[in-house]
Amino acid sequence: MKAGNATLSSYGTTIFEAMSQLAREHAAVNLGQGFPDDKGPLEVRKAAAEFAVDGHNQYPPMMGMPGLRQAVAAHNRRFYGLEVDWQTEVLITSGATEALLDGYMGLLDAGDEVVLLEPAYDTYAPVIRRLGAVPRSVRLVPPSWSLPHDELEAAFTPRTKLLVLNSPMNPAGKVFARDELAFIASLLEKHDAFAMCDEVYEHLVFGDARHVPLMTLPGMRQRVVRIGSAGKTFSLTGWKVGYITGPAAMLRPITKAHQFVTFTTPPNLQHAVALGLGFDDAYFHGLGAAMARSRDRLAAGLAALDVPLLACDGTYFLVLDVSRWLRPDEDDVAFCRRLVVDAGLVLIPMSAFYETAPPRHLVRACFCKEDATIDGALQRLQSWAAKQR
Ligand SMILES: Cc1ncc(COP(=O)(O)O)c(C=O)c1O
Protein backbone atom coordinates (compact mmCIF):
# COMPACT_ATOMS: atom_id res chain seq x y z
CA MET A 1 0.00 0.00 0.00
CA LYS A 2 1.15 3.51 -0.71
CA ALA A 3 2.00 5.65 2.31
CA GLY A 4 0.02 8.67 3.45
CA ASN A 5 1.36 12.18 3.27
CA ALA A 6 5.04 12.16 4.23
CA THR A 7 5.04 15.42 6.18
CA LEU A 8 2.09 14.55 8.40
CA SER A 9 3.16 10.93 8.78
CA SER A 10 6.43 12.15 10.27
CA TYR A 11 4.55 13.59 13.27
CA GLY A 12 3.29 11.28 16.02
CA THR A 13 -0.08 11.45 17.80
CA THR A 14 -0.20 14.70 19.76
CA ILE A 15 1.17 14.53 23.28
CA PHE A 16 -2.18 15.82 24.57
CA GLU A 17 -4.04 12.81 23.23
CA ALA A 18 -1.30 10.43 24.36
CA MET A 19 -1.22 11.84 27.90
CA SER A 20 -5.03 11.96 28.20
CA GLN A 21 -5.14 8.29 27.19
CA LEU A 22 -2.50 7.49 29.84
CA ALA A 23 -4.51 9.53 32.35
CA ARG A 24 -7.57 7.35 31.72
CA GLU A 25 -5.55 4.14 32.08
CA HIS A 26 -4.11 5.26 35.43
CA ALA A 27 -7.14 7.18 36.75
CA ALA A 28 -4.83 10.19 37.00
CA VAL A 29 -5.70 13.79 37.79
CA ASN A 30 -5.41 15.55 34.45
CA LEU A 31 -3.68 18.93 34.45
CA GLY A 32 -2.59 18.20 30.88
CA GLN A 33 -5.02 19.22 28.16
CA GLY A 34 -6.35 22.80 28.46
CA PHE A 35 -10.07 22.43 28.98
CA PRO A 36 -11.88 24.15 31.84
CA ASP A 37 -13.96 22.38 34.50
CA ASP A 38 -16.33 25.35 34.31
CA LYS A 39 -19.44 24.49 32.27
CA GLY A 40 -19.67 27.90 30.56
CA PRO A 41 -22.50 30.45 30.85
CA LEU A 42 -25.90 28.76 31.13
CA GLU A 43 -27.56 31.48 29.05
CA VAL A 44 -25.22 30.76 26.15
CA ARG A 45 -25.68 27.01 26.39
CA LYS A 46 -29.47 27.40 26.52
CA ALA A 47 -29.47 29.74 23.56
CA ALA A 48 -27.62 27.13 21.48
CA ALA A 49 -30.02 24.36 22.50
CA GLU A 50 -33.16 26.41 21.84
CA PHE A 51 -31.97 27.70 18.48
CA ALA A 52 -31.34 24.13 17.31
CA VAL A 53 -34.69 22.87 18.67
CA ASP A 54 -36.44 25.79 16.96
CA GLY A 55 -35.20 24.38 13.68
CA HIS A 56 -32.29 26.61 12.63
CA ASN A 57 -30.06 23.82 11.45
CA GLN A 58 -29.26 24.43 7.78
CA TYR A 59 -26.15 25.97 6.24
CA PRO A 60 -25.67 29.52 7.53
CA PRO A 61 -23.97 32.18 5.34
CA MET A 62 -20.42 31.26 4.40
CA MET A 63 -18.74 34.17 6.20
CA GLY A 64 -20.82 33.59 9.32
CA MET A 65 -24.22 34.71 10.59
CA PRO A 66 -24.64 38.49 10.45
CA GLY A 67 -25.53 38.66 14.17
CA LEU A 68 -22.25 37.05 15.18
CA ARG A 69 -20.15 39.05 12.72
CA GLN A 70 -21.73 42.23 14.09
CA ALA A 71 -21.05 41.05 17.64
CA VAL A 72 -17.38 40.38 16.81
CA ALA A 73 -17.05 43.86 15.27
CA ALA A 74 -18.69 45.42 18.36
CA HIS A 75 -16.37 43.43 20.65
CA ASN A 76 -13.35 44.78 18.74
CA ARG A 77 -14.63 48.33 19.21
CA ARG A 78 -15.54 47.88 22.89
CA PHE A 79 -12.27 46.33 24.08
CA TYR A 80 -9.66 47.65 21.66
CA GLY A 81 -11.14 50.72 19.95
CA LEU A 82 -10.90 48.96 16.57
CA GLU A 83 -13.41 50.09 13.95
CA VAL A 84 -14.27 47.02 11.91
CA ASP A 85 -16.63 46.57 8.96
CA TRP A 86 -18.56 43.44 9.96
CA GLN A 87 -19.43 42.64 6.35
CA THR A 88 -15.93 42.56 4.87
CA GLU A 89 -13.57 42.31 7.86
CA VAL A 90 -14.98 39.48 10.01
CA LEU A 91 -15.03 35.76 9.22
CA ILE A 92 -16.50 33.05 11.46
CA THR A 93 -14.69 29.70 11.50
CA SER A 94 -14.95 26.32 13.17
CA GLY A 95 -12.59 27.19 16.00
CA ALA A 96 -9.36 29.12 16.04
CA THR A 97 -7.80 25.95 14.67
CA GLU A 98 -9.68 26.36 11.40
CA ALA A 99 -9.00 30.10 11.42
CA LEU A 100 -5.26 29.38 11.56
CA LEU A 101 -5.47 26.82 8.75
CA ASP A 102 -7.51 29.21 6.61
CA GLY A 103 -4.95 31.91 7.31
CA TYR A 104 -2.00 29.77 6.25
CA MET A 105 -3.85 28.47 3.19
CA GLY A 106 -5.09 31.90 2.19
CA LEU A 107 -1.84 33.78 2.62
CA LEU A 108 1.02 31.37 1.93
CA ASP A 109 2.56 29.90 -1.20
CA ALA A 110 5.06 27.05 -1.23
CA GLY A 111 8.50 28.37 -0.34
CA ASP A 112 7.21 31.33 1.70
CA GLU A 113 8.79 31.65 5.11
CA VAL A 114 6.85 32.01 8.35
CA VAL A 115 8.43 33.31 11.55
CA LEU A 116 7.26 31.44 14.65
CA LEU A 117 8.06 32.14 18.27
CA GLU A 118 8.86 29.08 20.38
CA PRO A 119 7.52 27.59 22.56
CA ALA A 120 4.78 27.47 19.93
CA TYR A 121 1.29 25.99 19.96
CA ASP A 122 1.77 22.55 18.47
CA THR A 123 -0.43 22.87 15.38
CA TYR A 124 1.45 25.75 13.76
CA ALA A 125 4.57 24.18 12.25
CA PRO A 126 3.12 20.88 10.91
CA VAL A 127 0.42 22.66 8.90
CA ILE A 128 2.81 25.29 7.59
CA ARG A 129 5.18 22.54 6.43
CA ARG A 130 2.31 20.56 4.91
CA LEU A 131 1.54 23.57 2.72
CA GLY A 132 5.12 23.67 1.50
CA ALA A 133 5.96 26.84 3.41
CA VAL A 134 8.94 27.03 5.74
CA PRO A 135 8.71 27.77 9.48
CA ARG A 136 11.62 29.71 10.96
CA SER A 137 11.50 29.48 14.72
CA VAL A 138 12.87 32.01 17.17
CA ARG A 139 13.07 31.00 20.81
CA LEU A 140 11.90 33.11 23.67
CA VAL A 141 14.34 32.86 26.52
CA PRO A 142 13.16 31.25 29.78
CA PRO A 143 12.67 31.83 32.65
CA SER A 144 11.26 35.28 31.75
CA TRP A 145 10.45 34.33 28.13
CA SER A 146 12.17 37.46 26.87
CA LEU A 147 12.11 38.20 23.14
CA PRO A 148 15.62 38.03 21.63
CA HIS A 149 15.51 41.07 19.33
CA ASP A 150 18.63 40.25 17.31
CA GLU A 151 17.53 36.69 16.62
CA LEU A 152 14.06 37.80 15.65
CA GLU A 153 15.47 40.35 13.24
CA ALA A 154 17.80 37.72 11.77
CA ALA A 155 14.90 35.32 11.19
CA PHE A 156 13.35 37.72 8.64
CA THR A 157 14.52 37.22 5.06
CA PRO A 158 13.27 38.47 1.68
CA ARG A 159 11.07 35.32 1.61
CA THR A 160 9.30 36.05 4.90
CA LYS A 161 5.57 36.39 4.25
CA LEU A 162 4.08 35.92 7.70
CA LEU A 163 4.76 36.02 11.43
CA VAL A 164 2.52 34.11 13.82
CA LEU A 165 2.13 35.77 17.20
CA ASN A 166 0.33 34.05 20.06
CA SER A 167 -0.36 36.49 22.87
CA PRO A 168 -1.32 35.69 25.60
CA MET A 169 0.94 32.77 24.82
CA ASN A 170 0.30 29.07 25.28
CA PRO A 171 2.27 27.43 26.89
CA ALA A 172 4.53 30.21 28.23
CA GLY A 173 1.83 32.27 29.95
CA LYS A 174 3.49 35.36 28.47
CA VAL A 175 1.54 38.49 27.55
CA PHE A 176 3.59 40.50 25.05
CA ALA A 177 4.35 44.03 26.19
CA ARG A 178 3.76 47.09 24.04
CA ASP A 179 7.48 47.67 23.40
CA GLU A 180 7.90 44.09 22.19
CA LEU A 181 4.89 44.52 19.91
CA ALA A 182 6.34 47.77 18.58
CA PHE A 183 9.57 45.97 17.70
CA ILE A 184 7.66 43.20 15.93
CA ALA A 185 5.61 45.85 14.09
CA SER A 186 8.78 47.59 12.90
CA LEU A 187 10.07 44.30 11.42
CA LEU A 188 6.77 43.58 9.68
CA GLU A 189 6.85 47.01 8.06
CA LYS A 190 10.51 46.78 7.13
CA HIS A 191 10.03 43.39 5.46
CA ASP A 192 6.52 44.02 4.13
CA ALA A 193 5.22 40.94 5.97
CA PHE A 194 1.85 39.99 7.45
CA ALA A 195 1.06 38.81 10.96
CA MET A 196 -1.51 36.32 12.10
CA CYS A 197 -2.26 36.93 15.77
CA ASP A 198 -3.61 34.00 17.73
CA GLU A 199 -5.37 35.83 20.56
CA VAL A 200 -7.63 33.07 21.83
CA TYR A 201 -6.67 33.89 25.45
CA GLU A 202 -7.38 37.62 25.00
CA HIS A 203 -9.57 37.80 28.12
CA LEU A 204 -7.46 35.48 30.25
CA VAL A 205 -4.89 37.98 31.54
CA PHE A 206 -4.00 38.50 35.17
CA GLY A 207 -3.07 41.29 37.55
CA ASP A 208 -1.53 44.34 35.92
CA ALA A 209 -0.93 42.62 32.57
CA ARG A 210 -2.93 44.04 29.66
CA HIS A 211 -3.58 42.33 26.36
CA VAL A 212 -2.71 44.65 23.49
CA PRO A 213 -3.61 43.35 20.02
CA LEU A 214 -0.75 43.93 17.58
CA MET A 215 -3.43 45.16 15.20
CA THR A 216 -3.91 48.29 17.33
CA LEU A 217 -0.32 49.49 16.82
CA PRO A 218 0.40 52.21 14.24
CA GLY A 219 0.64 50.84 10.71
CA MET A 220 -0.60 47.35 11.68
CA ARG A 221 -4.30 47.60 10.82
CA GLN A 222 -3.63 46.59 7.19
CA ARG A 223 -1.05 43.86 7.92
CA VAL A 224 -2.60 41.88 10.73
CA VAL A 225 -5.45 39.46 11.22
CA ARG A 226 -6.39 38.57 14.78
CA ILE A 227 -8.10 35.38 15.84
CA GLY A 228 -10.43 34.82 18.79
CA SER A 229 -12.13 31.70 20.11
CA ALA A 230 -15.48 31.28 21.84
CA GLY A 231 -14.03 28.07 23.26
CA LYS A 232 -11.73 30.08 25.53
CA THR A 233 -13.89 33.16 26.06
CA PHE A 234 -16.94 31.16 27.16
CA SER A 235 -15.24 28.02 28.55
CA LEU A 236 -16.83 25.93 25.78
CA THR A 237 -13.77 24.38 24.15
CA GLY A 238 -15.75 21.63 22.43
CA TRP A 239 -17.83 24.09 20.46
CA LYS A 240 -15.06 25.14 18.11
CA VAL A 241 -16.33 28.57 17.15
CA GLY A 242 -13.59 30.98 16.10
CA TYR A 243 -13.54 34.44 14.57
CA ILE A 244 -11.00 36.26 12.42
CA THR A 245 -10.86 40.03 12.18
CA GLY A 246 -8.69 41.60 9.52
CA PRO A 247 -8.48 43.98 6.60
CA ALA A 248 -10.64 42.98 3.64
CA ALA A 249 -7.61 42.49 1.39
CA MET A 250 -6.19 39.84 3.75
CA LEU A 251 -9.55 38.32 4.59
CA ARG A 252 -10.55 37.74 0.95
CA PRO A 253 -8.03 34.94 0.25
CA ILE A 254 -8.50 33.57 3.77
CA THR A 255 -12.24 33.33 3.10
CA LYS A 256 -11.47 31.36 -0.09
CA ALA A 257 -9.71 28.80 2.07
CA HIS A 258 -12.62 28.71 4.53
CA GLN A 259 -15.12 28.05 1.74
CA PHE A 260 -13.19 24.96 0.69
CA VAL A 261 -12.31 23.72 4.20
CA THR A 262 -15.54 23.84 6.25
CA PHE A 263 -17.62 26.45 4.39
CA THR A 264 -19.50 27.25 7.60
CA THR A 265 -19.97 26.66 11.34
CA PRO A 266 -23.07 25.31 13.19
CA PRO A 267 -25.78 28.02 13.28
CA ASN A 268 -27.00 27.38 16.82
CA LEU A 269 -23.47 27.81 18.18
CA GLN A 270 -22.97 31.01 16.19
CA HIS A 271 -26.27 32.38 17.49
CA ALA A 272 -25.34 31.57 21.11
CA VAL A 273 -21.82 33.02 20.84
CA ALA A 274 -23.25 36.27 19.45
CA LEU A 275 -25.38 36.49 22.59
CA GLY A 276 -22.35 35.84 24.80
CA LEU A 277 -20.21 38.48 23.10
CA GLY A 278 -22.90 40.96 24.12
CA PHE A 279 -22.41 40.26 27.86
CA ASP A 280 -21.42 43.27 29.91
CA ASP A 281 -17.79 44.11 30.72
CA ALA A 282 -18.03 42.44 34.14
CA TYR A 283 -18.28 39.00 32.49
CA PHE A 284 -15.07 39.47 30.47
CA HIS A 285 -13.09 40.99 33.36
CA GLY A 286 -14.39 38.27 35.67
CA LEU A 287 -12.89 35.55 33.46
CA GLY A 288 -9.32 36.72 34.09
CA ALA A 289 -9.97 37.32 37.78
CA ALA A 290 -11.37 33.81 38.30
CA MET A 291 -8.51 32.23 36.38
CA ALA A 292 -5.92 34.25 38.33
CA ARG A 293 -7.33 32.76 41.56
CA SER A 294 -6.85 29.26 40.18
CA ARG A 295 -3.31 30.10 39.06
CA ASP A 296 -2.54 31.40 42.54
CA ARG A 297 -3.97 28.31 44.20
CA LEU A 298 -1.83 26.01 42.07
CA ALA A 299 1.23 28.26 42.36
CA ALA A 300 0.98 28.43 46.16
CA GLY A 301 0.78 24.64 46.42
CA LEU A 302 3.75 24.17 44.10
CA ALA A 303 5.76 26.83 45.92
CA ALA A 304 5.17 24.91 49.15
CA LEU A 305 6.82 21.94 47.43
CA ASP A 306 9.76 24.16 46.41
CA VAL A 307 9.02 23.76 42.71
CA PRO A 308 10.45 26.72 40.76
CA LEU A 309 7.75 28.37 38.62
CA LEU A 310 8.06 30.58 35.57
CA ALA A 311 6.11 33.83 35.36
CA CYS A 312 2.51 33.48 34.17
CA ASP A 313 0.49 36.58 33.27
CA GLY A 314 -2.20 34.93 31.17
CA THR A 315 -3.70 31.77 29.57
CA TYR A 316 -4.61 28.54 31.38
CA PHE A 317 -1.04 27.40 31.96
CA LEU A 318 1.79 27.51 34.46
CA VAL A 319 5.29 26.26 33.60
CA LEU A 320 7.28 24.34 36.22
CA ASP A 321 11.01 23.67 36.37
CA VAL A 322 11.30 20.00 37.38
CA SER A 323 15.10 19.73 37.11
CA ARG A 324 15.55 18.42 40.60
CA TRP A 325 13.24 15.46 39.99
CA LEU A 326 14.74 14.38 36.67
CA ARG A 327 16.73 11.17 36.75
CA PRO A 328 20.06 11.15 34.92
CA ASP A 329 19.29 10.93 31.18
CA GLU A 330 15.58 11.38 31.78
CA ASP A 331 13.86 13.97 29.59
CA ASP A 332 10.61 15.82 30.18
CA VAL A 333 8.55 13.27 28.21
CA ALA A 334 9.85 10.33 30.22
CA PHE A 335 9.40 12.33 33.41
CA CYS A 336 5.75 13.11 32.60
CA ARG A 337 5.06 9.47 31.81
CA ARG A 338 6.65 8.43 35.11
CA LEU A 339 4.56 11.00 36.94
CA VAL A 340 1.31 9.58 35.54
CA VAL A 341 2.19 6.05 36.53
CA ASP A 342 3.79 6.77 39.93
CA ALA A 343 1.93 9.87 41.11
CA GLY A 344 -1.34 9.68 39.15
CA LEU A 345 -0.88 13.18 37.78
CA VAL A 346 -0.78 14.37 34.17
CA LEU A 347 1.39 17.32 33.14
CA ILE A 348 2.58 18.17 29.63
CA PRO A 349 6.27 18.11 28.63
CA MET A 350 7.28 21.48 27.19
CA SER A 351 9.31 19.78 24.45
CA ALA A 352 5.96 19.29 22.68
CA PHE A 353 6.10 22.99 21.82
CA TYR A 354 9.52 22.93 20.12
CA GLU A 355 10.55 21.59 16.73
CA THR A 356 14.17 20.83 17.64
CA ALA A 357 16.47 20.68 20.68
CA PRO A 358 13.87 21.60 23.28
CA PRO A 359 14.56 22.42 26.91
CA ARG A 360 14.22 19.17 28.87
CA HIS A 361 13.49 20.44 32.36
CA LEU A 362 10.18 22.25 31.92
CA VAL A 363 6.62 20.96 32.13
CA ARG A 364 3.23 22.65 31.73
CA ALA A 365 0.38 22.46 34.22
CA CYS A 366 -3.15 23.55 33.35
CA PHE A 367 -5.03 25.42 36.09
CA CYS A 368 -8.45 26.12 34.51
CA LYS A 369 -9.84 23.57 36.95
CA GLU A 370 -12.06 23.44 40.03
CA ASP A 371 -10.35 23.95 43.38
CA ALA A 372 -10.89 20.29 44.23
CA THR A 373 -9.07 19.18 41.06
CA ILE A 374 -6.14 21.50 41.76
CA ASP A 375 -5.99 20.39 45.40
CA GLY A 376 -6.17 16.73 44.36
CA ALA A 377 -3.30 17.26 41.94
CA LEU A 378 -1.22 18.96 44.62
CA GLN A 379 -1.90 16.19 47.12
CA ARG A 380 -0.76 13.56 44.65
CA LEU A 381 2.36 15.50 43.82
CA GLN A 382 3.11 16.05 47.49
CA SER A 383 2.86 12.34 48.39
CA TRP A 384 4.95 11.41 45.39
CA ALA A 385 7.56 14.11 46.09
CA ALA A 386 7.93 12.96 49.70
CA LYS A 387 9.11 9.57 48.41
CA GLN A 388 11.72 11.14 46.12
CA ARG A 389 13.88 12.53 48.93
C1 LIG B 1 -2.79 29.08 21.30
C2 LIG B 1 -4.01 28.36 20.85
N1 LIG B 1 -4.49 28.62 19.62
C3 LIG B 1 -5.59 27.98 19.16
C4 LIG B 1 -6.25 27.05 19.94
C5 LIG B 1 -7.44 26.33 19.36
O1 LIG B 1 -8.62 27.02 19.59
P1 LIG B 1 -10.04 26.38 19.12
O2 LIG B 1 -10.41 25.36 20.15
O3 LIG B 1 -10.95 27.55 19.07
O4 LIG B 1 -9.82 25.75 17.80
C6 LIG B 1 -5.77 26.75 21.22
C7 LIG B 1 -6.43 25.73 22.04
O5 LIG B 1 -5.90 25.23 23.00
C8 LIG B 1 -4.62 27.44 21.69
O6 LIG B 1 -4.11 27.18 22.89
Side-chain angles (χ1 to χ4, degrees):
M1 246 218 296
K2 288 180 180 162
N5 174 260
T7 306
L8 294 184
S9 300
S10 72
Y11 291 93
T13 303
T14 84
I15 191 75
F16 307 102
E17 188 58 29
M19 294 304 284
S20 288
Q21 171 67 26
L22 210 56
R24 284 189 288 276
E25 282 166 24
H26 293 270
V29 176
N30 193 350
L31 298 191
Q33 210 170 12
F35 57 88
D37 279 349
D38 182 43
K39 289 192 174 64
L42 182 61
E43 225 180 314
V44 173
R45 287 183 281 133
K46 274 193 168 160
E50 281 162 14
F51 205 67
V53 171
D54 287 349
H56 303 282
N57 297 299
Q58 308 308 334
Y59 295 129
M62 193 258 284
M63 286 192 73
M65 285 162 61
L68 179 54
R69 285 149 69 202
Q70 286 159 3
V72 170
H75 174 272
N76 274 297
R77 187 179 317 111
R78 170 155 56 133
F79 290 100
Y80 310 117
L82 286 166
E83 290 302 329
V84 171
D85 175 358
W86 70 268
Q87 304 211 57
T88 59
E89 297 190 309
V90 177
L91 174 68
I92 308 305
T93 58
S94 292
T97 309
E98 192 218 320
L100 288 159
L101 173 64
D102 294 346
Y104 300 135
M105 287 180 72
L107 298 174
L108 298 175
D109 285 302
D112 285 341
E113 292 182 0
V114 182
V115 177
L116 299 180
L117 300 174
E118 280 185 338
Y121 184 55
D122 67 323
T123 68
Y124 298 165
V127 177
I128 292 167
R129 286 195 193 286
R130 177 67 183 87
L131 294 172
V134 183
R136 289 179 63 97
S137 295
V138 175
R139 287 158 172 245
L140 302 186
V141 187
S144 65
W145 302 116
S146 57
L147 180 70
H149 284 214
D150 291 349
E151 284 170 37
L152 182 59
E153 189 156 17
F156 278 78
T157 76
R159 294 220 302 245
T160 305
K161 170 86 71 77
L162 181 70
L163 172 135
V164 182
L165 178 66
N166 174 213
S167 181
M169 188 182 205
N170 170 15
K174 177 186 171 82
V175 179
F176 282 73
R178 192 176 281 277
D179 61 329
E180 294 173 315
L181 297 173
F183 180 67
I184 291 170
S186 71
L187 293 175
L188 295 175
E189 282 202 314
K190 185 170 163 196
H191 295 276
D192 187 22
F194 297 121
M196 188 149 64
C197 293
D198 179 344
E199 301 181 4
V200 298
Y201 298 101
E202 60 187 324
H203 292 296
L204 296 164
V205 290
F206 315 139
D208 294 334
R210 290 286 166 273
H211 170 58
V212 179
L214 179 65
M215 186 184 268
T216 61
L217 270 71
M220 290 298 102
R221 182 67 175 81
Q222 297 309 316
R223 294 192 176 277
V224 172
V225 293
R226 61 176 225 99
I227 296 171
S229 166
K232 311 295 176 185
T233 297
F234 299 104
S235 303
L236 298 163
T237 58
W239 277 23
K240 304 298 274 188
V241 178
Y243 19 93
I244 315 183
T245 303
M250 285 180 76
L251 216 55
R252 267 193 297 275
I254 294 175
T255 303
K256 297 274 171 59
H258 168 71
Q259 78 177 351
F260 297 131
V261 172
T262 58
F263 182 74
T264 190
T265 298
N268 62 321
L269 304 185
Q270 293 196 49
H271 168 77
V273 170
L275 179 116
L277 285 175
F279 284 167
D280 59 19
D281 290 1
Y283 170 80
F284 297 92
H285 297 317
L287 275 177
M291 210 55 78
R293 276 194 297 280
S294 298
R295 175 203 58 178
D296 293 346
R297 192 175 190 95
L298 180 62
L302 291 168
L305 292 174
D306 284 333
V307 182
L309 303 175
L310 281 61
C312 166
D313 293 325
T315 74
Y316 288 161
F317 309 109
L318 196 54
V319 178
L320 290 54
D321 179 339
V322 294
S323 307
R324 79 184 160 97
W325 284 324
L326 291 179
R327 290 175 174 159
D329 299 329
E330 188 177 46
D331 64 13
D332 57 343
V333 177
F335 171 78
C336 285
R337 286 185 181 280
R338 179 158 68 93
L339 204 65
V340 180
V341 177
D342 293 355
L345 175 62
V346 177
L347 302 174
I348 296 291
M350 284 287 281
S351 55
F353 303 94
Y354 289 82
E355 280 235 293
T356 55
R360 292 297 197 182
H361 62 296
L362 300 175
V363 301
R364 190 193 80 171
C366 172
F367 53 76
C368 56
K369 303 291 175 186
E370 284 170 358
D371 290 354
T373 312
I374 293 177
D375 294 348
L378 287 167
Q379 273 158 17
R380 286 177 180 220
L381 193 62
Q382 192 178 20
S383 331
W384 174 85
K387 292 184 219 140
Q388 307 307 304
R389 295 199 187 104

